[in-house]
Amino acid sequence: MIKRINVLLFTGLMILIFCIFSSLLYAKGDDEILIGYTSDALTMDPANHRARTTETILRDLYDGLVVRNSKMEVVPQIAESWKQLDTLTYDFVLRKGVKFHNGDLLTAEDIKFTFDRIITDGAIDGQTSPRKSLLGSLKEVKILGPYKVRFILEKPWPVFPAFLPWQEVVSKKFVESVGSKGVATKVNGTGPFKLVEWIRGNRIVMERFDDYYGGASSIQPVGKAKVKRLIWQIIPENASRVAALLSGEVDIINDVPTHSIKQIERNSNTRIMTVNGTRSFFLAMNNTRPPFNNINVRKALCHAINVDLIIEKLLNGNATRLNSILSPDAFGHNPNLSQYEYNPAKAKKLLAEAGYPGGIDIELDVTSALKDIAEAISANLADAGIKAKVKVWEKSVIGPTWKKPVKTRDMYLTSWGNGSLDPVGIMTPVLRSKGRGNYPGYSNSKVDELIDKAMVEVDRKKRASYYQKAESILNDEVPMVFLWLPKEIYGVSARLGGWGPKADSQINLHDAYIK
């Protein structure tokens, strides 16, 4: 027993010493930035994940052929330029002198290898990259010279350049050396920072890459990063993340809860920064069975929810109301859609016309993060004779349940991100028949036809018109209650300069500095 106690004491002492050493080693300085972030990276392999939070972390380590600037425009990064030869062919000229973190020079071989690894089935130790669908109809990458590559599509896909910012370039030689398992934990990118340490669930430490080529020439300033070190502290709990910012332990936090905004603004050493996000929130209704296979019932719900009040009171005004699935900033958005005003009496009338004069009883599925909002919606619905019982689920359970072809539930409060700000990233998966995110089970052949035409149309005006017509149909048939597009809310230290939030959620810190 005494021996066991001594072992426990010794173990505890070692942990204490380690924590003290770590805190001293990573004590906050004037040449580093600390980020309090909600989620750890799933992997360090850019080709083997489909998580926006992982993408955000990796983008400070890896660069891509192209990148989005603060206006969400696609601009060259590793590429020097590109040209579309026809509806199926794109040529990219690469910058010379771009180095990987180990000093190797990037060439066309690395570009071809990067994209082959994504589009080739089974290329990651027998597994197909989960990012393959982000490259649409890409069929082949050809090397035209040491610094020139050609992308060949199987069929026209006009949004191909818009989806390239989501693909980071890896080193062919490095990946072949360490294998897919090695790339999952080791980084040899071309980004402004290199990986120094990754303690899963705790922190990710990056140091400046002094041989960095400078980044996108159109995004000033060009050159190496301004600070020597980034430390990503993984802090999932909202209260702990806010406390870390207010105490000065970190310089940036993401996903600030709306109830903490005023607290952060009152602190003289911190401030709030926001940007319109790219994630549309909606209330999916099961269109495949009663009562929501009746359009009047669906319209009744649209009139029964006070969306504006929820945005004002629960979201502190930090959201834009939606009349369709698309962000107002998205390509092809129809600005002339009808808005369903809050009108419980009209909702009751529509229910009666649908054969439900006594109202309806339903269940509203939600994850714990949206429970408060779901309960507010439920209270609204009650005033219109709709009894909605809120049922809280784990995301890992309810998400797949609603994605099944056979729908067994009533309603689901959820969202879908669309970082490309192109309808193909949200309308196709969520509202085309049998789409992978078609939670409502909605199907309309005319909508499918318009989406399919837009997918291959290269004339921008025609393509936009197809999406606008589809939006008009969806606005009328309301397969879901379109709710809002939240702002991305960040808490930022007053000592931080040279950084601003982006709509795609990426926290690019190449230009950031400590004042």
Side-chain angles (χ1 to χ4, degrees), residues 73-147:
E73 298 166 334
V74 178
V75 297
Q77 193 173 37
I78 287 175
E80 188 174 89
S81 63
W82 78 83
K83 182 180 181 181
Q84 183 175 357
L85 304 183
D86 54 45
T87 59
L88 301 176
T89 314
Y90 297 79
D91 281 0
F92 280 75
V93 177
L94 309 179
R95 294 174 184 272
K96 295 178 181 178
V98 176
K99 290 183 180 180
F100 288 101
H101 295 160
N102 67 354
D104 290 346
L105 287 172
L106 177 145
T107 69
E109 292 279 353
D110 300 300
I111 305 300
K112 176 174 172 55
F113 178 82
T114 293
F115 285 89
D116 283 352
R117 191 167 177 258
I118 296 170
I119 65 174
T120 304
D121 290 344
I124 304 176
D125 288 348
Q127 174 191 342
T128 300
S129 171
R131 306 184 75 75
K132 181 178 179 179
S133 63
L134 291 174
L135 289 171
S137 61
L138 179 61
K139 179 177 69 174
E140 184 182 4
V141 182
K142 286 186 175 180
I143 295 175
L144 303 183
Y147 297 99

Side-chain angles (χ1 to χ4, degrees), residues 283-302 304-305 351 354 356 360-365 381 386-388 402 407-412 439-442 477-481:
L283 186 62
M285 298 174 280
N286 187 346
N287 288 214
T288 67
R289 69 176 192 180
F292 296 120
N293 60 349
N294 187 309
I295 190 172
N296 279 347
V297 175
R298 300 198 299 270
K299 288 190 174 185
L301 262 78
C302 292
I305 301 173
L351 285 175
Y356 300 96
I360 56 176
D361 287 14
I362 50 179
E363 285 192 342
L364 169 53
D365 296 331
L381 295 176
I386 302 168
K387 296 179 181 178
W402 272 89
K407 313 294 180 183
T408 59
R409 306 291 302 161
D410 296 325
M411 296 192 304
Y412 182 29
Y439 300 115
Y442 175 72
E477 296 197 343
V478 285
M480 54 182 61
V481 182

Side-chain angles (χ1 to χ4, degrees), residues 224-294:
K224 65 182 181 181
K226 291 184 176 295
V227 296
K228 287 185 178 179
R229 185 162 59 179
L230 304 180
I231 301 176
W232 298 71
Q233 297 281 6
I234 310 306
I235 313 175
E237 301 82 9
N238 287 341
S240 299
R241 213 164 50 255
V242 171
L245 176 70
L246 293 174
S247 66
E249 295 175 30
V250 298
D251 299 300
I252 302 174
I253 61 171
N254 69 318
D255 285 0
V256 173
T258 54
H259 62 264
S260 298
I261 291 175
K262 291 182 180 179
Q263 183 183 14
I264 292 172
E265 288 178 331
R266 284 195 299 264
N267 188 322
S268 61
N269 295 319
T270 57
R271 65 190 189 276
I272 290 290
M273 298 182 75
T274 66
V275 65
N276 282 338
T278 57
R279 180 167 291 275
S280 298
F281 279 72
F282 50 86
L283 186 62
M285 298 174 280
N286 187 346
N287 288 214
T288 67
R289 69 176 192 180
F292 296 120
N293 60 349
N294 187 309

Side-chain angles (χ1 to χ4, degrees), residues 31-193:
D31 207 10
E32 63 187 13
I33 295 171
L34 281 78
I35 307 99
Y37 202 57
T38 46
S39 304
D40 198 357
L42 299 176
T43 177
M44 290 292 158
D45 186 347
N48 202 16
H49 74 91
R50 195 68 186 266
R52 187 182 288 200
T53 48
T54 297
E55 177 87 13
T56 295
I57 293 170
L58 294 187
R59 256 304 188 168
D60 278 313
L61 297 165
Y62 290 94
D63 278 359
L65 277 176
V66 296
V67 69
R68 289 186 182 273
N69 62 20
S70 60
K71 296 179 180 179
M72 294 298 285
E73 298 166 334
V74 178
V75 297
Q77 193 173 37
I78 287 175
E80 188 174 89
S81 63
W82 78 83
K83 182 180 181 181
Q84 183 175 357
L85 304 183
D86 54 45
T87 59
L88 301 176
T89 314
Y90 297 79
D91 281 0
F92 280 75
V93 177
L94 309 179
R95 294 174 184 272
K96 295 178 181 178
V98 176
K99 290 183 180 180
F100 288 101
H101 295 160
N102 67 354
D104 290 346
L105 287 172
L106 177 145
T107 69
E109 292 279 353
D110 300 300
I111 305 300
K112 176 174 172 55
F113 178 82
T114 293
F115 285 89
D116 283 352
R117 191 167 177 258
I118 296 170
I119 65 174
T120 304
D121 290 344
I124 304 176
D125 288 348
Q127 174 191 342
T128 300
S129 171
R131 306 184 75 75
K132 181 178 179 179
S133 63
L134 291 174
L135 289 171
S137 61
L138 179 61
K139 179 177 69 174
E140 184 182 4
V141 182
K142 286 186 175 180
I143 295 175
L144 303 183
Y147 297 99
K148 190 173 183 179
V149 292
R150 173 167 292 170
F151 291 86
I152 302 172
L153 308 185
E154 189 172 351
K155 58 184 179 181
W157 197 53
V159 295
F160 177 66
F163 277 73
L164 285 179
W166 303 112
Q167 313 299 340
E168 292 82 40
V169 175
V170 297
S171 160
K172 178 177 186 290
K173 180 179 177 182
F174 180 76
V175 175
E176 289 178 340
S177 173
V178 302
S180 294
K181 289 183 179 178
V183 181
T185 58
K186 301 172 184 177
V187 173
N188 184 33
T190 58
F193 295 92

